[in-house]
Amino acid sequence: MLVSINWLRDFVPYEGSVQELADKLTMLGLEVDEIFHPFELLEQLVVGHVLECEPHPDSDKLSVTRVDVGNDEILDIVCGAPNIAKGQNVAVAKIGSVLPGDFKIKKAKIRGVVSLGMICSERELELSDDHSGIMVLDESLEPGTNFVEALGLERTVLDIDLTPNRPDCLSILGVAREVAMAFNLPLTMPAIAPMEEGDEASSQVNIVIDDPEQCPLYQTRLVDGIKIGPSPAWLRYRLLAVGLRPISNVVDVTNYIMMELGQPLHAFDRDLLAGNTIRVAVADDGMQFTTLDGQERKLLDTDLLIWDSEKPVALAGVMGGANTEINEGSTQLLLESAVFRPASVRKTARRLALPSDASHRFERGVDQVGNTYAMNRAAQLIQELAGGKLLSGVAKAEPKPWIQPQVHFRPERASRIVGIPFEPSFCAKTFTALGCRLEEEDSSDWLVYPPAYRLDLEREVDLVEEVVRVYGIDRVPETLPVVSHEMGRKSGSKQFDFASLIKVWGRGVGLNECVNYSFVGDKELDFLGLPQEGRVHIANPLSEEQNVLRTDVGAGLIESLKFNLSRGNSELHLFEVAKTFHADPESDTKTREEERVCILLHGNRYGSGYPWPQEDCDFSDLKGLLLHLFRSLHLPEASFACVDGHSWLSPCISVSINGSGVGVAGMLRSDLAESIKTRSDVWYADLSLPQLQAIKDQCRIAFEELPKYPPVRRDVTFVAPLELAVGSVMESVLGQNQKLLEKVQLIDEFRPENGDAKNLTYRMTYRSPSKTLKDKEVDKTHTKIVQAVVKELAVSLQ
């Protein structure tokens, strides 16, 4: 919202500094983004008096002038305007001046005559589109007077950034109310006394509103015998200062009132309206309507229109129609002033990509009570600027009159919310300054009646906000809230707490956590060979790259891998805790969700550079992380087995605990890895969080006494076929159920070149809970186990 300081002073006699005003408004919640001079470039111009004007000796269309620009300075200027004449006061740009459009004035020789400046037209100064001749100024002005000062142009405009809940401040009047309240100044409203004559307007126009919810109020005034022409300079300059382009006297008045009072108005050429009925009703679905900008719009049956007796004539609250536009030949005027449902205007304006100053205000709500005042002020200005006869009375329909809300307010409650005591007298003074009416001021529970222009005051907390806003948010001391903390307190959600535990683990082992969008593209899922069945497509996707919910967390992690590889980052140790989504007709939401934890490894297993060796991650790194996770959750031993048929992992290993599958691990298929230009193997694991949590819930941590006696260790090497799994030997050893055997672990594997067997070396640990073992006791048990394994698995001893 652009606010002219001079215009503001028409309402409040503020005489302080502009910076003080800007600071105060900002602290009141009306943030001033910028203080600027809308006519800054014109400050370089001066008023000049034409002393002599003679025809150019070498041109029929040019004139040579001598211009007094003050301070005893006379300039010779060549001018091409047909209306230049001796004795005129004109706008002069001296050498070195820069005009709008970055046009710099330089000394020039025009057909042999030196020109030391430029006499300007209104278009060259961007004050209007008139380029028929130079701008002739008031003859009473002194030569050398600053041009901006001479014309009374606005020197200071505030650019205020408003929040959507303050539509009352989308006007000079609204900001003036805030200034009057903040500085304890009187607020003066412009006097209106339109001269009425002739027939009653209500007898000339019948207004019909189909749906009161869509349009609570619609009223019009009629003016006959108007003359369309340019607006006076003061009006044009004020509109330019706040960013609006002058058009004609009637249209400029409607824009002026919109900026001044916040009420959008619309002027129809009454001669172009069919019949004597104005109807507010929705459009026919699919109908075409041409707006003032000349564009044909396709409408829906939810778009609200203004109709005459035969046709639509305006998009309600958004833009008028080209078929009833005010033009140079218009003589009869119907002035519309209405209130429309904000949601209806907002939907229409956004769907048609047709924002306007009017829709911006209607979308946020306008003052239904002040509507009549705005219309009458506009009618009076039109009379003054365009002439004509204003018909008596108003043609009006108000099927849903405004009802003043009442809001309870407790001063003590306000003090508790903000944390500082407020005097009831201060609260009462604040509400009165805001235009509210009070009842029961002496009680602890007041009734506050907000004015019609404060649509945001609906609840007690809104009134509390007003009190602290006026008191000064900067005056409220900073205090830390009281936070009660219980040791070991959790969120209350077992699933959330378990997922948080997994995230803490992942960061603790040095993995980097990823948070990817739940939305992916079909092409990402197709790349991984995931089935089409079960995908949940988005009805209104942000883009084709995000048109479906992921069915595998890997889709996002692979994209993270590609993104990093393309930027030269190849050492990736990633994990993500996220949900997958699958279509499920039996679910209430038609979608089944499952939370997963996934790990992706690529590149060097250690940090880069000295002293770390350059070794790429392999399956042992991935398996080690999984085993570490299971141990940190106190889960039973996991088992791993090769499986076939995974769509994008090869080899693929199933991961099971207590015979229940909890996920898979493996390597990204080589063809897929090659297509995304990986620099080493990509290892990936995908585990189900609900299954891990269910297993954890069934486990009980058992405490054992620390061993008192020393262990005895024996190593044995088996020669086994290449296809024999390492775990099969360990299962066979443990399956002998020897009480002295404490644990068995693989410590070495050797595969001879061109051989058909491998050497597996295991270390077996023996211990007795009651005594120190002797060698012969250990040898006896060890021999029994080794012989049993050789017999069961067809392996041999080295």
Side-chain angles (χ1 to χ4, degrees):
M1 175 64 192
L2 300 182
V3 176
S4 156
I5 295 297
N6 287 342
W7 202 345
L8 184 70
R9 286 176 175 146
D10 288 351
F11 290 88
V12 286
Y14 178 76
E15 298 299 336
S17 72
V18 175
Q19 188 60 55
E20 180 186 3
L21 175 62
D23 293 342
K24 188 64 177 178
L25 289 174
T26 297
M27 295 313 300
L28 285 171
L30 312 182
E31 183 179 358
V32 177
D33 284 344
E34 184 184 2
I35 303 172
F36 68 94
H37 186 347
F39 302 107
E40 185 175 7
L41 289 177
L42 306 189
E43 286 281 3
Q44 304 170 71
L45 275 67
V46 296
V47 175
H49 181 72
V50 181
L51 300 175
E52 299 178 12
C53 181
E54 301 293 338
H56 191 288
D58 199 24
S59 173
D60 295 336
K61 295 184 178 180
L62 298 178
S63 300
V64 180
T65 66
R66 290 179 57 79
V67 183
D68 180 3
V69 292
N71 297 322
D72 298 326
E73 185 179 9
I74 308 296
L75 300 179
D76 293 327
I77 300 176
V78 176
C79 179
N83 65 329
I84 185 72
K86 179 180 177 180
Q88 292 176 334
N89 279 348
V90 293
V92 177
K94 298 193 286 186
I95 292 174
S97 301
V98 180
L99 298 183
D102 199 29
F103 180 67
K104 188 173 183 179
I105 305 301
K106 301 177 182 178
K107 181 179 178 180
K109 181 177 285 188
I110 303 175
R111 295 203 176 184
V113 177
V114 174
S115 182
L116 301 177
M118 178 176 175
I119 301 174
C120 304
S121 69
E122 288 195 1
R123 192 171 77 175
E124 289 162 341
L125 302 181
E126 294 187 353
L127 294 177
S128 77
D129 293 331
D130 184 11
H131 196 54
S132 59
I134 51 95
M135 186 177 184
V136 180
L137 305 180
D138 189 279
E139 60 184 17
S140 64
L141 296 174
E142 289 292 326
T145 304
N146 180 275
F147 178 77
V148 171
E149 180 183 338
L151 266 66
L153 298 179
E154 180 60 70
R155 276 192 161 96
T156 308
V157 169
L158 304 180
D159 185 357
I160 302 178
D161 186 12
L162 296 173
T163 52
N165 67 319
R166 293 303 305 272
D168 59 300
C169 290
L170 286 169
S171 64
I172 303 296
L173 173 60
V175 177
R177 290 191 183 109
E178 295 287 302
V179 175
M181 175 195 65
F183 294 96
N184 195 26
L185 296 172
L187 181 71
T188 304
M189 299 292 289
I192 55 172
M195 301 295 295
E196 300 180 342
E197 57 181 301
D199 298 335
E200 284 285 336
S202 56
S203 66
Q204 301 289 312
V205 177
N206 178 42
I207 298 174
V208 178
I209 299 175
D210 285 9
D211 185 354
E213 292 296 329
Q214 298 278 32
C215 179
L217 168 66
Y218 192 98
Q219 53 185 341
T220 68
R221 297 214 68 158
L222 306 179
V223 186
D224 292 342
I226 61 171
K227 184 176 181 180
I228 303 299
S231 298
W234 68 267
L235 177 54
R236 290 188 284 113
Y237 298 158
R238 275 203 167 171
L239 292 178
L240 286 169
V242 294
L244 295 180
R245 182 176 63 89
I247 298 174
S248 67
N249 46 12
V250 170
V251 176
D252 291 350
V253 165
T254 61
N255 286 332
Y256 184 86
I257 296 301
M258 178 180 66
M259 298 303 296
E260 181 180 68
L261 304 179
Q263 174 63 53
L265 305 169
H266 185 67
F268 295 98
D269 186 329
R270 193 179 169 198
D271 288 331
L272 300 178
L273 294 171
N276 295 321
T277 297
I278 295 292
R279 184 165 64 96
V280 184
V282 295
D284 297 329
D285 194 34
M287 72 179 298
Q288 303 288 334
F289 179 67
T290 303
T291 47
L292 281 173
D293 57 1
Q295 298 295 314
E296 191 172 64
R297 315 280 179 178
K298 185 177 181 180
L299 305 182
L300 304 179
D301 58 8
T302 55
D303 297 324
L304 192 65
L305 290 175
I306 310 301
W307 301 70
D308 62 14
S309 299
E310 299 175 355
K311 62 185 181 299
V313 294
L315 267 174
V318 180
M319 186 175 286
N323 55 3
T324 53
E325 180 182 7
I326 293 292
N327 56 72
E328 294 180 356
S330 298
T331 59
Q332 295 195 83
L333 169 72
L334 184 147
L335 181 65
E336 166 198 281
S337 184
V339 177
F340 300 111
R341 180 169 169 259
S344 173
V345 176
R346 179 167 55 250
K347 288 179 181 178
T348 297
R350 292 188 180 181
R351 183 180 61 80
L352 297 177
L354 192 60
S356 64
D357 290 313
S359 67
H360 184 71
R361 287 159 175 79
F362 278 125
E363 287 173 12
R364 288 154 176 78
V366 296
D367 178 4
Q368 187 165 336
V369 173
N371 188 284
T372 301
Y373 176 86
M375 179 180 63
N376 287 335
R377 174 152 168 76
Q380 178 175 315
L381 284 174
I382 289 173
Q383 258 192 314
E384 294 173 1
L385 304 182
K389 178 178 68 174
L390 176 64
L391 271 62
S392 300
V394 175
K396 176 180 180 179
E398 190 172 16
K400 191 178 180 181
W402 179 75
I403 300 175
Q404 188 171 37
Q406 68 175 29
V407 183
H408 286 271
F409 176 79
R410 294 162 290 176
E412 187 272 335
R413 173 65 174 162
S415 298
R416 288 207 315 273
I417 290 176
V418 181
I420 58 175
F422 290 114
E423 290 293 332
S425 59
F426 173 77
C427 298
K429 181 180 178 181
T430 296
F431 294 143
T432 302
L434 291 171
C436 300
R437 182 169 60 86
L438 301 182
E439 285 186 8
E440 303 181 25
E441 287 188 34
D442 297 330
S443 70
S444 60
D445 189 357
W446 301 354
L447 283 179
V448 180
Y449 297 87
Y453 52 81
R454 288 305 302 270
L455 303 176
D456 58 315
L457 302 183
E458 300 176 333
R459 304 168 297 163
E460 183 179 30
V461 71
D462 298 327
L463 299 178
V464 173
E465 180 183 349
E466 292 302 297
V467 170
V468 71
R469 182 174 75 88
V470 175
Y471 177 80
I473 297 176
D474 54 323
R475 296 173 58 195
V476 178
E478 296 178 359
T479 56
L480 291 174
V482 178
V483 179
S484 59
H485 179 71
E486 301 175 13
M487 294 299 293
R489 182 177 180 182
K490 297 185 178 180
S491 69
S493 167
K494 290 179 62 177
Q495 292 81 4
F496 178 82
D497 292 335
F498 187 71
S500 299
L501 182 65
I502 299 295
K503 291 180 181 181
V504 170
W505 168 83
R507 294 189 292 267
V509 296
L511 300 176
N512 291 312
E513 183 178 3
C514 283
V515 180
N516 288 304
Y517 287 116
S518 300
F519 304 137
V520 296
D522 274 311
K523 66 176 183 179
E524 279 83 13
L525 301 181
D526 294 340
F527 175 78
L528 299 180
L530 299 171
Q532 290 281 345
E533 296 77 22
R535 296 184 186 180
V536 180
H537 285 84
I538 309 301
N540 54 340
L542 298 174
S543 66
E544 283 303 312
E545 288 71 31
Q546 293 181 317
N547 67 335
V548 64
L549 288 170
R550 63 184 169 213
T551 56
D552 195 309
V553 178
L557 282 174
I558 295 297
E559 287 302 304
S560 298
L561 170 66
K562 291 165 59 178
F563 183 87
N564 279 273
L565 290 176
S566 66
R567 285 155 179 80
N569 183 20
S570 60
E571 296 174 9
L572 300 171
H573 299 174
L574 309 177
F575 85 101
E576 182 172 9
V577 176
K579 291 181 178 179
T580 57
F581 304 86
H582 303 268
D584 183 3
E586 303 300 322
S587 171
D588 292 339
T589 61
K590 308 302 181 186
T591 304
R592 173 173 52 84
E593 302 177 15
E594 184 178 359
E595 200 154 20
R596 318 286 298 186
V597 55
C598 298
I599 302 170
L600 184 145
L601 304 178
H602 175 274
N604 194 3
R605 61 160 54 102
Y606 306 112
S608 58
Y610 179 84
W612 309 112
Q614 296 301 304
E615 298 176 4
D616 288 334
C617 294
D618 58 24
F619 181 68
S620 63
D621 296 278
L622 186 61
K623 182 178 179 182
L625 286 169
L626 297 181
L627 292 176
H628 187 282
L629 172 61
F630 300 152
R631 291 191 185 110
S632 68
L633 296 175
H634 306 289
L635 303 182
E637 288 291 329
S639 60
F640 299 82
C642 287
V643 293
D644 296 324
H646 196 278
S647 62
W648 56 283
L649 293 180
S650 179
C652 180
I653 313 297
S654 68
V655 185
S656 303
I657 300 177
N658 286 345
S660 175
V662 296
V664 295
M667 186 178 75
L668 181 66
R669 274 188 3 225
S670 57
D671 59 322
L672 299 181
E674 184 178 350
S675 69
I676 60 175
K677 297 180 173 58
T678 61
R679 302 175 187 178
S680 63
D681 293 337
V682 180
W683 296 94
Y684 182 81
D686 179 7
L687 305 176
S688 168
L689 251 62
Q691 290 176 285
L692 290 177
Q693 185 175 1
I695 296 172
K696 178 177 172 58
D697 291 343
Q698 295 172 0
C699 295
R700 295 293 179 265
I701 299 176
F703 294 91
E704 295 180 354
E705 184 180 1
L706 291 174
K708 297 178 180 179
Y709 302 98
V712 179
R713 297 180 177 88
R714 294 284 190 271
D715 293 347
V716 61
T717 300
F718 297 103
V719 180
L722 292 175
E723 64 273 10
L724 182 67
V726 170
S728 299
V729 178
M730 299 178 70
E731 290 174 3
S732 178
V733 171
L734 295 172
Q736 306 310 314
N737 295 321
Q738 295 295 324
K739 293 182 180 180
L740 295 181
L741 180 64
E742 186 177 73
K743 67 176 180 179
V744 59
Q745 62 186 121
L746 178 71
I747 61 172
D748 192 22
E749 177 184 13
F750 174 70
R751 300 191 179 205
E753 291 185 10
N754 301 321
D756 57 356
K758 58 186 175 181
N759 297 344
L760 303 175
T761 302
Y762 293 87
R763 176 165 293 164
M764 303 181 192
T765 302
Y766 301 93
R767 192 196 307 263
S768 171
S770 58
K771 64 178 182 178
T772 299
L773 293 173
K774 296 180 180 180
D775 284 345
K776 64 179 183 178
E777 294 176 295
V778 175
D779 292 341
K780 180 181 178 180
T781 302
H782 182 69
T783 300
K784 186 183 294 186
I785 292 174
V786 170
Q787 290 176 348
V789 172
V790 170
K791 184 178 180 180
E792 286 182 9
L793 299 179
V795 298
S796 61
L797 295 176
Q798 188 181 33

